[in-house]
Amino acid sequence: MGTVTQLYEGNYRDPVFALRRLADQIEQGHLGAVSCVGVVSLGYRVEVRGFGPNADDATLALLLHSGFMRLSQQIESNAVRSSSV
């Protein structure tokens, strides 16, 4: 499926900076041919948005679930490494 990319270079805690950096990376071709981007934001409420030619509901749901699974696996992997030290 897709790739989960961390935007931790620079001020990743600034959502505007992080989104602009992501847009720059897409425009410059650093992420390959991006056909779908999913964004979940928390402001007054939780908002889910999809962008791109393949950003239909099913693809977006699969993309966000895939990201959730990869983050969960990374957290679990880090916890296992930490407990074995």
Side-chain angles (χ1 to χ4, degrees):
M1 176 77 196
T3 301
V4 176
T5 302
Q6 294 180 349
L7 301 173
Y8 295 162
E9 297 175 17
N11 188 5
Y12 70 93
R13 293 190 181 273
D14 178 350
V16 174
F17 171 86
L19 288 170
R20 283 193 180 119
R21 183 170 181 88
L22 176 61
D24 290 344
Q25 290 174 340
I26 292 170
E27 281 183 336
Q28 294 167 8
H30 295 301
L31 304 178
V34 176
S35 63
C36 183
V37 173
V39 175
V40 179
S41 60
L42 175 60
Y44 293 118
R45 61 184 180 193
V46 174
E47 300 275 346
V48 179
R49 295 179 174 93
F51 308 98
N54 293 337
D56 58 87
D57 291 346
T59 302
L60 185 59
L62 184 61
L63 177 67
L64 293 173
H65 183 73
S66 175
F68 167 77
M69 294 300 295
R70 287 179 188 223
L71 287 172
S72 298
Q73 290 168 355
Q74 184 177 358
I75 291 167
E76 183 178 339
S77 175
N78 289 339
V80 169
R81 271 191 259 137
S82 296
S83 66
S84 64
V85 173

